[in-house]
Structure formats: C-alpha cells, structure tokens
Amino acid sequence: MPLTELAPLLKKLSYSDKLLLLHFLIADLLKESGLTPLDVQDRDKVTSQGLHDSFEAAAVLAKALTEEKVATHGR
C-alpha cells in the first residue's frame, strides 16, 4: 500500500496508537540496519559503568560553560 493511501488512515489513529506505530517503525528500522536498541537491562549496564560519574566530562562541561558565560556576559 503506498504512503499516499496510508496517510489519511494514520491521521485517524489515536494518540497512543500513533506512539505505538512510531515505536514499531523505529524498532523495525533499527532491526533492518543491524542496530539494537537499548533495553532496560542495557541501560542499567551503561549507567553502572560510571558514565554519569565522569569527572573528566564534568570538567570539560564546566570549562565550556565558563567560556560561554565570558562570551555572553564579558566576565
């Protein structure tokens, strides 16, 4: 079925059905491209690796914010 025929049908979907369709399409695209979305367990693994505790990243961000403040406010 061409997209021109689907578009009017898609517009009639409820908000929650549109979200479910979007989720389905994204998962299908990821599968076709060979990528795997993070599931809940994978997200837990990523956060447990200490990425949120990166002092180096915090220092880089602090420096960038300071430079932006100087550029914006002159101090």
Side-chain angles (χ1 to χ4, degrees), residues 45-63:
K45 288 178 191 174
V46 170
T47 56
S48 70
Q49 291 174 351
L51 296 178
H52 63 281
D53 291 333
S54 174
F55 294 108
E56 186 177 333
V60 170
L61 179 58
K63 181 180 178 194

Side-chain angles (χ1 to χ4, degrees), residues 3 22 25 31 46 54-55 62 69 71:
L3 186 58
L22 182 61
L25 290 173
K31 184 178 176 183
V46 170
S54 174
F55 294 108
K69 181 179 176 184

Side-chain angles (χ1 to χ4, degrees), residues 7-27:
L9 298 173
L10 296 174
K11 288 186 179 218
K12 293 180 183 178
L13 292 175
S14 68
Y15 181 82
S16 59
D17 284 341
K18 287 177 184 176
L19 287 175
L20 289 171
L21 176 63
L22 182 61
H23 182 276
F24 168 79
L25 290 173
I26 290 171

